[in-house]
Amino acid sequence: MDLQCFLCWKVVPLLLLLPGRFWCMKVHILNEQPVHVLPGSKLVLTARIEKDPWEEVSTITWAREPETGQDRAKVTLATCPAKTPNCSGGRPDVQMNLKQQETTLQINGYSIADSGEYSVTVIDHSGANTTGRCIVREYEAVHHVSISINMSHSTLVCHEAWGTEPSFSWLHERAAITQQVGRVSKDGNTLFVTMTPICGHFTCMVGNKLGYSSATYTAAPCESGGRGMTAAVVCLVLLVLVCGGVLAFLLWRRHRQNNRGERLYEHAGNTI
Ligand SMILES: *[C@@H]1O[C@H](CO)[C@@H](O)[C@H](O)[C@H]1NC(C)=O
Ligand SMILES: *[C@@H]1O[C@H](CO)[C@@H](O)[C@H](O)[C@H]1NC(C)=O
Ligand SMILES: *[C@@H]1O[C@H](CO)[C@@H](O)[C@H](O)[C@H]1NC(C)=O
């Protein structure tokens, strides 16, 4: 808690008879930052004004300035007295309103020119002011997807240039990654390959609200699983046949010996 706030909450109540001498009002924009807006859609920024009951808002101003660059000229979008709950700015597509302690700015049909650092400034009756800020950027499609391989660590890393909120997913031979193939990192852009040797096609797909883009890394072709499997099955069948044959032979021999023994015994009994 900084000194100003300390004064606000601990000292000011004792000085209620001298209102306006301490500036306690604060304003902050509630949107999660940076705000990304799809071109053509609606931008809505909401700010909350924190103030003590004896403080009165006089004017609210929403403005925008370029996020970077030397010529950071500020453009006022709307300046409204707190007494009018709805008011439109200079432009017909800009609207501002104030409901209790929340003020919103709405811009219809967002375009790249509307990107920048937005600020909301609240002025009280004594002319003191406080400002809240927030960065607004265009929501951009996924660009330039590529894959790099780190041989020493058996990892594939997927890169994406500047798309907004990219989400990564991996495929091996157009199928989802299984434990036999590897493991995907939590953020999704790295694939730790466990299969040896590394073979086949690895595809990284990157997507966001505006669509998908992908890149493929091609390793040496995989040994055809089918041929290996067939060979294994043939070997197994041969082994079973050989074992079966040997067993059958042994049983047959034992049976014959037993029969001969019995016959001899019978023969002996008859002669006695
Ligand atoms: C202000 O605008 C809101 C919608 O943004 C509307 O519901 C409300 O009736 C308007 N109030 C006045 C006084 O025009
Ligand atoms: C806000 O107050 C500062 C001084 O504290 C002043 O320099 C600035 O011009 C004021 N801004 C507005 C918009 O009134
Ligand atoms: C491979 O990955 C390891 C661990 O992330 C890293 O230290 C190393 O520099 C990487 N090698 C190359 C060639 O990028």
Side-chain angles (χ1 to χ4, degrees), residues 97-272:
N97 73 51
L98 175 68
K99 226 182 259 167
Q100 277 140 24
Q101 283 174 222
E102 278 188 8
T103 169
T104 58
L105 175 78
Q106 180 175 323
I107 296 180
N108 298 316
Y110 179 88
S111 77
I112 178 92
D114 294 314
S115 301
E117 187 182 60
Y118 280 69
S119 60
V120 55
T121 301
V122 177
I123 303 175
D124 81 346
H125 277 295
S126 70
N129 68 63
T130 176
T131 299
R133 293 173 186 284
C134 130
I135 300 289
V136 176
R137 295 182 188 143
E138 185 193 354
Y139 193 101
E140 293 198 71
V142 168
H143 282 276
H144 305 317
V145 176
S146 63
I147 297 177
S148 64
I149 182 161
N150 185 330
M151 279 293 183
S152 53
H153 289 73
S154 294
T155 52
L156 293 174
V157 184
C158 190
H159 307 274
E160 190 279 331
W162 63 73
T164 305
E165 298 165 352
S167 79
F168 296 82
S169 57
W170 289 87
L171 300 174
H172 180 246
E173 302 294 31
R174 299 202 198 153
I177 300 293
T178 59
Q179 275 184 336
Q180 283 75 40
V181 175
R183 180 175 62 80
V184 178
S185 67
K186 227 176 214 167
D187 57 8
N189 59 9
T190 305
L191 174 66
F192 303 97
V193 184
T194 48
M195 78 190 304
T196 44
I198 296 181
C199 71
H201 299 87
F202 293 87
T203 304
C204 167
M205 306 236 299
V206 187
N208 69 10
K209 283 183 197 166
L210 290 175
Y212 280 88
S213 188
S214 68
T216 297
Y217 172 78
T218 305
C222 292
E223 286 280 311
S224 160
R227 239 190 292 156
M229 198 72 169
T230 317
V233 168
V234 167
C235 281
L236 199 68
V237 167
L238 280 180
L239 196 68
V240 167
L241 282 179
V242 167
C243 289
V246 167
L247 199 68
F249 176 73
L250 288 177
L251 282 174
W252 173 77
R253 239 180 55 170
R254 201 164 144 197
H255 188 71
R256 226 177 60 152
Q257 276 175 354
N258 280 354
N259 275 359
R260 197 188 288 162
E262 268 168 33
R263 250 186 266 133
L264 278 178
Y265 179 74
E266 271 171 28
H267 192 71
N270 285 346
T271 46
I272 289 173

Side-chain angles (χ1 to χ4, degrees), residues 27-37 41-47 61-68 72-78 91 93-96 103-122 130-138:
V27 61
H28 60 266
I29 295 176
L30 302 177
N31 301 58
E32 202 178 307
Q33 293 201 53
V35 180
H36 285 107
V37 195
S41 70
K42 198 189 283 178
L43 164 64
V44 180
L45 296 177
T46 304
T61 304
W62 283 89
R64 184 194 67 230
E65 57 194 299
E67 195 186 325
T68 52
R72 289 179 42 119
K74 205 169 191 169
V75 178
T76 300
L77 299 164
R91 283 160 49 178
D93 58 341
V94 175
Q95 273 177 349
M96 192 209 102
T103 169
T104 58
L105 175 78
Q106 180 175 323
I107 296 180
N108 298 316
Y110 179 88
S111 77
I112 178 92
D114 294 314
S115 301
E117 187 182 60
Y118 280 69
S119 60
V120 55
T121 301
V122 177
T130 176
T131 299
R133 293 173 186 284
C134 130
I135 300 289
V136 176
R137 295 182 188 143
E138 185 193 354

